[in-house]
Amino acid sequence: MELTALVFLPAAAAILVLLLPARQEHLAKYVALAGSVAALALSLWLFFSFDVDQGGYQFTERREWVDLGAFNLQYFLGVDGLSMPLVVLTTFLTTASVLVSFSVTHRQRLYYALLLVLATSVLGVFTALDFMLFFLFWELELFPMYLLISIWGSGRKEYSATKFVLYTIAGSAFMLVGILTLAFSASTFDIQVLGQSSFQDTVLPLSWVFLFLFIGFAVKLPMVPVHTWLPDAHSDAPTAVSVMLAGVLLKMGGYGIIRMCVTILPGEAGDLSAWMAGAGAVSVLYGAFVTLRQTDVKRLIAYSSVSHMGLVLLGVAALGNTGMVGATYQMVAHGLITGLLFVCVGLMYERTHTREIARLGGLARQMPLIATGLVFAAFGSLGLPALAGFIAEVMVFIGSFEEFEWAALMAISGAVLSAGYMLWMLQRVVFGPVRPEWNGLTDQRHWWEHSVVLMLAALIILLGLYPPLLTDVINPAIDSIVLRVGA
Amino acid sequence: MPFLEAAAAKSPTIDEWLLWAILASPLTAWGLIALYFRRLPAVAGYLAIAGIGISCVISFVTLFNVIDADGAIAQHTHEWFTAGDVVVNLGVRVDGLTAVMLVVVTSVSLLVQVYSTGYMAGDAGYGRYFAHMCLFTTSMLGLVLADNLFMLFIFWELVGLSSYLLIGFWFHKPSAAAAAKKAFIVTRIGDLGLLAALLLIWSRAGTFDIAGIHHWAASGEASDKIVTLFALGIFAGAAGKSAQFPLHVWLPDAMEGPTPVSALIHAATMVAAGVYLVARFFPVFEVSADASEVVAWIGAATALIAATIALVQTDLKRVLAYSTVSQLGYMMLALGALGYVAAIFHLFTHAFFKALLFLGSGSVNHGTNTFDMRKMGGLRKKMPVTFWTFVIGSLSLAGIFPLAGFWSKDEILLDAWRYDRALWFMAATVAFMTAFYMFRAIFLTFFGEYKGGEPVDHHDPDNHFHGDPAHPHESPWPMRAPLLILAVPAVLAGLFNVNHDFGDFINHALPELPHHDESTFEWGIALSSLGLALAGIGLAWAIYYKRWVASASLREVFLPLAGVFERKYFLDDIYEDIFVRGIFHRGWNRLLELNDRYVIEGVVNGSGRLVRGVSNGLRPIQNGLLQTYGLGFAAGVIIFVLAVFAANPL
């Protein structure tokens, strides 16, 4: 019951928000905050009662759902060491997103309701253990995202929202073919069972199935060359949506690759691992090089995400436990760090109404607190030790170096490039002479602004200083996956 | 000296918590200042002094404890985390090398903090300054104490962060913001090598432990090629932090930070880290002759290139900056020539006299509001303490008997002579140049007529200059006292190794004692280097004091060469204009961006347009007219029936 409660808690809060009378619209944010904090509390309770000595799924609940004759759709939820951190990340960033949205004034009820539905769909993706249920949650996420970007966004928001949806659906179409092929072969959608099956007499060759699933997830990750929806979606989305997008939605891709591609089809993953490593390393470098050309702060962060999510793919590709633990750690770390980057940039944008790097400058004097947050997040992003991203990156490098030295060496060059674009951005945006046109702007000053920056920063430091908090949870789950890959 | 009498084979008895306290003390000061006392200047400075002071005291306790144990090793390790197959530990390791470094770092840092309370007085960022200084010192201490490469790398990067924050301390100045960025990125290029070495050692040796790596290298279980690659990776990291050619370009720009920061960077912390790193993994370099040779030649080249650039600088701090690069080249040369003791001994003496010189230049700046030697002159009478201590530091740096620099430099020259005569020749040339440029600086700064300094710009809100640059005065006591204190080791520190006590002490940090010739003095080498240094001083005296030859006409004579030196061998231009802007920004990066924008997006948007085009083409079919549909239906049926009959003739 715990997981059902967790997954649908945000949705229930969404209904409450929608039921608010128009006169009480200003209460929407508090209801949303209460809902997201409750979900966060519940997920933390699950996290700390999670048994780290056990590798399998916990808190499982299973109900027959739709009888299809030969086999059934199930309502089947559960978490293991791979999904547990991502679940907490989701509730955590949902709370952060609600907080940064406190300045939203346009159609608040619908806004918060959509944000909460988004949280429910992502939580569903991370907890579903029935492949069709997974797919439903996967598709459900598109609906709130489309509306959030196209109503509360800026710039070419309709174009970006449509592009986001079409890109994902194109990927999902392949994924669905893959899912059905597997399900008809094994007569089940049960991910746990699929993860122990060997498939015979499939309609399509298994390597095709692997690729089809992989395409669906790679679009989400995103992997070069199917990444071009990301910069558009990010730059035109409102701050909270950028936080959710970079923070948790991209992780659905990485999660899917580990949970489905690698676990269900380990043999095919082994055959294609060098290609995955290459694609990961290319994403890291390509993303970083293109980031260096960006002149819009949000696009810059978006492209840096392409680069950093390439590390997830690289870590997985080695199919060893160090690399995959690193990849999982990287998903959490990137979610927090990039989330904080978007929060700080959002706070700046609210005040200056520009994201053009050339027009910004000297903000460290006018907005010292926001500037400090941005500097902190930028160093997190470039992999500074004692912050979460470092542990993740080094584990990915170590893991991939053992299998693919060339790919790991390519990827570590990304460390110089990330220092290049992040420090260049800082130099232009927060340092340098004060610009008179930004005089008189307020610094970060509301309690919700302080709390969102502090909670993200605190967790980034905590995960940088005390990795066992996550690695102890992740290790057993990854070990059991790697065991299957090796067999 | 009864320096080392205790019998060997016992390990230091110092409690583990005291070693961690060396780290924790400045770290706590950092936290307290950052969280609570940023706006309370009175507290921030003293808190920093207290934090670093405590770790300085413990460092001395550690040193004496390790001396009692004859330089043996003590190590305390704890597991930090496990990720997959990788187990990462946190631990401290003390031995002779660590103990010496601890004392150098904390004592220089402590004096710099004291000095800073005077130098930084009135600055708007006073609290922030001391917080960063504490972080800087903590990072360096962690680097020195780390017992494994992973932990060392963490503090190594934190040193990079602190230097970024301090070099860019006056971040509103575009030049400072740019210099901070440059320092971080250039050193990070070197760090790639260190990171690659870290990956390599895990995949081949399965350990990060320093003693384990020493053992791995010596055991011969790895091929020469792997050991050499590992050593070169380590050296690449060291070359970044210790400003070795071709990665030295960040160090002179780092002058943009407050002067006490430069003193710390150039003497005890950042640049010392690279030399320490190579010394730490010296047993690996001993195994790989190829790697050692690379280190030796890069070191010699660095020493020579930097010395030639220092000849033509007009900014006092830049003269010192290039001299640091040059002396670091010396240390690397020594390490490459397998002169482990000579290198660390020079690091040790250099820390004192270079900190002294930098703090002296800061004192000059405090009186004149400038570092431009063309605006100085005649300060000998006005700032006597600064003058005399600066001369002592310069004599020591120039290697004049019996000051500290003479002894350590002499050992390096001796090692170079034994390793390769060509390296000795380069080093000796550098010794001559060093004496020349330092005394050129002294004559320009302290002799002749005073040229007025730099007028104070009262419109600049960030300028906190107090006095009147037209009438410079000696600096206040918090600044004078560190100069006087540092002058003592600048004179005497060389005596520690006259009987090779220092060398014996730090040699115990190595798994086995070096086998090569250990005599540390040769009259020929000593007298020739002394002669060259005196000649350098004499030449400077003739040109810049007696003015027998006009320096401008001298420049004419050496014109093409002087131009190359003044432009710093065009390295900055090559890096920034050709590589960064040309090849990458306008070339490769742009190509990829265009690929993104036109090729990939072309396919994406093109497929969208294709779908729309096809749909538009098909739209007339569904026009809502039933008779059209009926016609189509009928045609379809007929075609279907015909097809069936065609396939199955009756």
Side-chain angles (χ1 to χ4, degrees):
Chain A
M1 271 318 285
E2 300 96 334
L3 283 180
T4 302
L6 177 63
V7 170
F8 291 100
L9 220 160
I15 293 171
L16 274 183
V17 170
L18 286 176
L19 289 177
L20 283 174
R23 284 178 293 109
Q24 305 295 334
E25 182 153 40
H26 64 280
L27 291 179
K29 54 186 163 197
Y30 297 109
V31 176
L33 183 63
S36 57
V37 169
L40 174 61
L42 182 54
S43 68
L44 284 176
W45 180 73
L46 290 177
F47 184 82
F48 287 109
S49 37
F50 187 84
D51 180 5
V52 295
D53 297 325
Q54 186 203 327
Y57 293 103
Q58 300 181 32
F59 308 113
T60 51
E61 41 192 290
R62 187 200 297 262
R63 267 180 211 95
E64 294 306 315
W65 187 21
V66 183
D67 192 344
L68 294 177
F71 54 99
N72 299 332
L73 289 186
Q74 301 176 82
Y75 176 81
F76 184 17
L77 301 182
V79 283
D80 66 349
L82 170 63
S83 46
M84 193 66 243
L86 296 171
V87 166
V88 179
L89 177 72
T90 306
T91 54
F92 192 82
L93 286 178
T94 305
T95 311
S97 305
V98 170
L99 285 171
V100 289
S101 303
F102 267 39
S103 52
V104 168
T105 51
H106 179 59
R107 302 180 70 181
Q108 294 182 40
R109 283 172 300 171
L110 184 60
Y111 175 86
Y112 286 106
L114 290 170
L115 206 53
L116 291 164
V117 169
L118 181 62
T120 286
S121 65
V122 178
L123 287 170
V125 166
F126 289 141
T127 52
L129 291 181
D130 181 278
F131 215 155
M132 196 43 79
L133 186 64
F134 170 92
F135 188 74
L136 291 178
F137 279 121
W138 179 278
E139 295 291 292
L140 173 65
E141 157 264 322
L142 294 176
F143 156 74
M145 277 302 283
Y146 179 77
L147 292 178
L148 282 167
I149 296 176
S150 57
I151 299 177
W152 288 271
S154 57
R156 291 199 301 169
K157 51 190 182 184
E158 290 89 357
Y159 169 80
S160 300
T162 311
K163 190 171 180 178
F164 166 76
V165 169
L166 289 182
Y167 242 113
T168 307
I169 287 186
S172 318
F174 284 101
M175 194 188 348
L176 186 60
V177 175
I179 294 174
L180 293 176
T181 312
L182 291 178
F184 280 106
S185 167
S187 295
T188 181
F189 284 112
D190 188 324
I191 290 170
Q192 220 176 355
V193 178
L194 289 174
Q196 290 153 3
S197 314
S198 50
F199 302 92
Q200 268 105 36
D201 307 329
T202 46
V203 184
L204 296 168
L206 281 178
S207 54
W208 288 34
V209 176
F210 180 90
L211 274 180
F212 282 0
L213 293 178
F214 184 80
I215 288 170
F217 298 128
V219 166
K220 209 74 188 173
L221 195 62
M223 180 190 87
V224 173
V226 286
H227 64 285
T228 56
W229 60 272
L230 186 72
D232 283 324
H234 263 312
S235 52
D236 295 338
T239 301
V241 176
S242 290
V243 172
M244 287 300 275
L245 181 55
V248 292
L249 267 66
L250 306 187
K251 278 67 202 177
M252 291 161 42
Y255 172 77
I257 291 174
I258 300 178
R259 171 73 79 231
M260 312 302 173
C261 295
V262 172
T263 313
I264 298 179
L265 298 168
E268 285 63 34
D271 295 343
L272 294 168
S273 65
W275 290 97
M276 285 201 285
V282 166
S283 290
V284 170
L285 287 183
Y286 185 101
F289 281 125
V290 179
T291 310
L292 281 163
R293 290 282 308 177
Q294 299 307 310
T295 56
D296 173 310
V297 194
K298 276 185 115 178
R299 283 186 84 85
L300 184 138
I301 302 172
Y303 270 108
S304 82
S305 286
V306 176
S307 181
H308 286 127
M309 293 306 286
L311 288 175
V312 174
L313 187 54
L314 179 63
V316 174
L319 301 178
N321 32 17
T322 309
M324 255 188 276
V325 170
T328 312
Y329 214 100
Q330 170 72 353
M331 289 199 269
V332 177
H334 174 264
L336 297 171
I337 292 167
T338 307
L340 183 57
L341 278 172
F342 277 120
V343 166
C344 293
V345 169
L347 294 179
M348 258 174 202
Y349 178 73
E350 264 176 34
R351 289 156 173 83
T352 61
H353 300 288
T354 183
R355 298 188 309 252
E356 277 294 310
I357 291 173
R359 290 193 54 211
L360 296 165
L363 293 177
R365 276 291 158 88
Q366 290 136 330
M367 311 175 184
L369 292 178
I370 300 179
T372 306
L374 191 64
V375 172
F376 176 88
F379 272 93
S381 178
L382 62 80
L384 189 79
L387 303 179
F390 170 77
I391 304 289
E393 287 183 16
V394 176
M395 290 308 134
V396 167
F397 294 147
I398 291 177
S400 56
F401 190 82
E402 283 171 23
E403 281 297 312
F404 307 107
E405 290 184 1
W406 52 275
L409 291 177
M410 275 169 78
I412 63 172
S413 324
V416 169
L417 302 175
S418 64
Y421 55 70
M422 279 298 158
L423 297 187
W424 177 80
M425 185 269 287
L426 290 181
Q427 185 191 350
R428 300 300 153 101
V429 173
V430 294
F431 300 139
V434 165
R435 298 203 167 199
E437 66 256 50
W438 311 128
N439 280 336
L441 296 179
T442 55
D443 195 4
Q444 164 190 327
R445 59 183 177 146
H446 297 293
W447 66 267
W448 65 82
E449 293 169 337
H450 293 310
S451 53
V452 69
V453 172
L454 285 178
M455 65 191 243
L456 284 166
L459 203 52
I460 292 169
I461 294 175
L462 181 65
L463 291 183
L465 294 182
Y466 190 65
L469 187 66
L470 276 194
T471 51
D472 285 352
V473 176
I474 302 171
N475 279 330
I478 296 297
D479 285 345
S480 62
I481 293 172
V482 170
L483 213 62
R484 173 160 163 80
V485 175
Chain B
M1 248 188 298
F3 200 62
L4 286 168
E5 283 170 346
K10 52 180 180 176
S11 67
T13 52
I14 188 157
D15 284 342
E16 188 190 357
W17 70 270
L18 275 172
L19 298 174
W20 289 105
I22 295 176
L23 267 184
S25 167
L27 189 68
T28 311
W30 168 70
L32 288 175
I33 299 171
L35 289 177
Y36 300 113
F37 298 113
R38 254 178 317 142
R39 314 233 171 272
L40 280 175
V43 184
Y46 295 119
L47 212 56
I49 291 173
I52 294 167
I54 290 171
S55 60
C56 185
V57 170
I58 307 175
S59 297
F60 273 99
V61 171
T62 311
L63 176 68
F64 291 121
N65 191 280
V66 179
I67 289 173
D68 275 345
D70 205 8
I73 303 164
Q75 188 177 351
H76 306 277
T77 306
H78 307 275
E79 186 183 323
W80 184 24
F81 70 94
T82 305
D85 305 325
V86 180
V87 181
V88 179
N89 294 324
L90 290 181
V92 286
R93 169 194 164 113
V94 274
D95 53 26
L97 179 58
T98 304
V100 168
M101 292 299 294
L102 286 177
V103 166
V104 170
V105 172
T106 53
S107 56
V108 171
S109 178
L110 181 62
L111 291 171
V112 168
Q113 307 312 317
V114 172
Y115 178 95
S116 300
T117 57
Y119 189 84
M120 296 301 288
D123 192 286
Y126 190 84
R128 179 165 55 95
Y129 172 84
F130 281 101
H132 292 343
M133 282 299 233
C134 287
L135 183 64
F136 203 176
T137 308
T138 308
S139 315
M140 189 63 197
L141 291 171
L143 194 161
V144 173
L145 280 167
D147 77 334
N148 67 73
L149 187 56
F150 196 98
M151 180 175 164
L152 192 153
F153 185 74
I154 287 177
F155 286 102
W156 179 268
E157 292 284 295
L158 290 179
V159 167
L161 166 75
S162 341
S163 67
Y164 172 84
L165 294 171
L166 283 164
I167 293 168
F169 180 74
W170 286 314
F171 53 75
H172 53 274
K173 278 164 59 185
S175 54
K181 181 187 69 173
K182 182 172 175 180
F184 196 91
I185 294 176
V186 172
T187 52
R188 220 171 207 225
I189 293 174
D191 293 351
L192 287 186
L194 184 54
L195 185 55
L198 187 126
L199 302 181
L200 186 69
I201 200 70
W202 181 264
S203 76
R204 299 302 143 92
T207 183
F208 296 121
D209 185 65
I210 287 168
I213 295 171
H214 288 174
H215 176 76
W216 168 81
S219 71
E221 65 189 65
S223 69
D224 281 354
K225 186 176 150 227
I226 295 296
V227 176
T228 301
L229 282 176
F230 174 73
L232 289 178
I234 293 282
F235 179 62
K241 281 274 192 293
S242 285
Q244 297 297 296
F245 173 83
L247 298 178
H248 65 281
V249 292
W250 64 271
L251 190 59
D253 288 31
M255 298 292 97
E256 290 295 338
T259 301
V261 173
S262 310
L264 201 51
I265 289 181
H266 285 256
T269 52
M270 187 144 168
V271 298
V275 177
Y276 168 79
L277 182 72
V278 174
R280 194 26 107 205
F281 290 99
F282 188 70
V284 181
F285 286 86
E286 274 184 314
V287 173
S288 169
D290 292 342
S292 302
E293 194 164 357
V294 170
V295 173
W297 282 98
I298 295 270
T302 306
L304 194 58
I305 288 170
T308 55
I309 299 176
L311 295 175
V312 296
Q313 295 301 311
T314 54
D315 180 305
L316 179 57
K317 248 172 115 178
R318 282 185 180 267
V319 174
L320 295 177
Y322 281 105
S323 102
T324 303
V325 177
S326 179
Q327 297 301 308
L328 290 166
Y330 251 77
M331 296 174 209
M332 287 297 182
L333 161 60
L335 285 167
L338 302 182
Y340 164 77
V341 171
I344 296 301
F345 192 46
H346 197 54
L347 173 74
F348 176 72
T349 60
H350 176 262
F352 298 114
F353 59 69
K354 189 50 69 66
L356 170 61
L357 289 170
F358 265 105
L359 295 183
S361 79
S363 176
V364 167
N365 170 260
H366 202 256
T368 62
N369 195 28
T370 184
F371 288 107
D372 191 338
M373 294 188 290
R374 292 167 299 190
K375 295 176 181 165
M376 298 177 186
L379 294 172
R380 176 172 44 118
K381 294 276 167 50
K382 298 184 170 81
M383 310 177 85
V385 174
T386 307
F387 167 66
W388 282 110
T389 51
F390 200 90
V391 168
I392 289 172
S394 303
L395 287 170
S396 193
L397 171 55
I400 301 301
F401 178 85
L403 280 74
F406 166 77
W407 301 99
S408 55
K409 190 177 277 191
D410 184 59
E411 286 187 31
I412 292 180
L413 287 164
L414 186 60
D415 284 327
W417 175 265
R418 284 175 184 153
Y419 188 77
D420 188 332
R421 299 291 143 88
L423 289 174
W424 174 83
F425 184 75
M426 289 166 83
T429 312
V430 171
F432 168 75
M433 289 183 188
T434 308
F436 174 78
Y437 65 65
M438 281 316 297
F439 277 81
R440 168 179 176 264
I442 287 182
F443 289 123
L444 288 175
T445 307
F446 294 101
F447 289 83
E449 290 290 305
Y450 182 56
K451 304 190 186 62
E454 176 79 31
V456 179
D457 177 5
H458 292 288
H459 298 291
D460 181 358
D462 296 305
N463 195 316
H464 58 281
F465 193 82
H466 291 306
D468 177 6
H471 303 285
H473 53 85
E474 186 56 276
S475 298
W477 271 109
M479 295 172 67
R480 246 182 285 174
L483 295 178
L484 291 167
I485 296 171
L486 281 167
V488 176
V491 175
L492 296 179
L495 302 177
F496 284 116
N497 205 30
V498 171
N499 293 327
H500 211 262
D501 289 334
F502 184 93
D504 290 338
F505 180 55
I506 64 169
N507 266 337
H508 288 283
L510 303 177
E512 39 197 289
L513 300 179
H515 323 288
H516 55 273
D517 193 353
E518 278 297 316
S519 78
T520 55
F521 198 80
E522 231 171 66
W523 281 100
I525 300 288
L527 287 178
S528 61
S529 74
L530 191 58
L532 284 167
L534 289 173
I537 295 174
L539 188 62
W541 177 77
I543 299 172
Y544 296 100
Y545 183 71
K546 282 293 175 186
R547 299 190 183 269
W548 287 337
V549 193
S551 57
S553 63
L554 212 60
R555 185 179 177 279
E556 293 294 316
V557 175
F558 290 105
L559 192 55
L561 215 52
V564 171
F565 297 162
E566 282 164 10
R567 295 292 299 276
K568 303 174 270 185
Y569 292 77
F570 302 99
L571 280 178
D572 276 337
D573 308 284
I574 293 171
Y575 291 164
E576 282 164 31
D577 294 340
I578 298 183
F579 279 101
V580 176
R581 294 205 188 88
I583 295 180
F584 282 107
H585 193 68
R586 301 221 180 87
W588 176 244
N589 298 359
R590 180 138 182 267
L591 192 72
L592 294 187
E593 193 202 11
L594 293 177
N595 174 59
D596 231 43
R597 195 185 296 170
Y598 295 106
V599 179
I600 300 179
E601 285 289 80
V603 172
V604 171
N605 290 331
S607 60
R609 269 193 292 276
L610 182 71
V611 170
R612 191 184 304 166
V614 172
S615 315
N616 280 340
L618 294 177
R619 200 160 64 184
I621 301 171
Q622 298 194 11
N623 53 8
L625 295 175
L626 285 178
Q627 52 273 55
T628 321
Y629 294 172
L631 188 64
F633 179 69
V637 170
I638 292 167
I639 291 170
F640 179 72
V641 170
L642 287 178
V644 169
F645 279 114
N648 309 299
L650 290 173

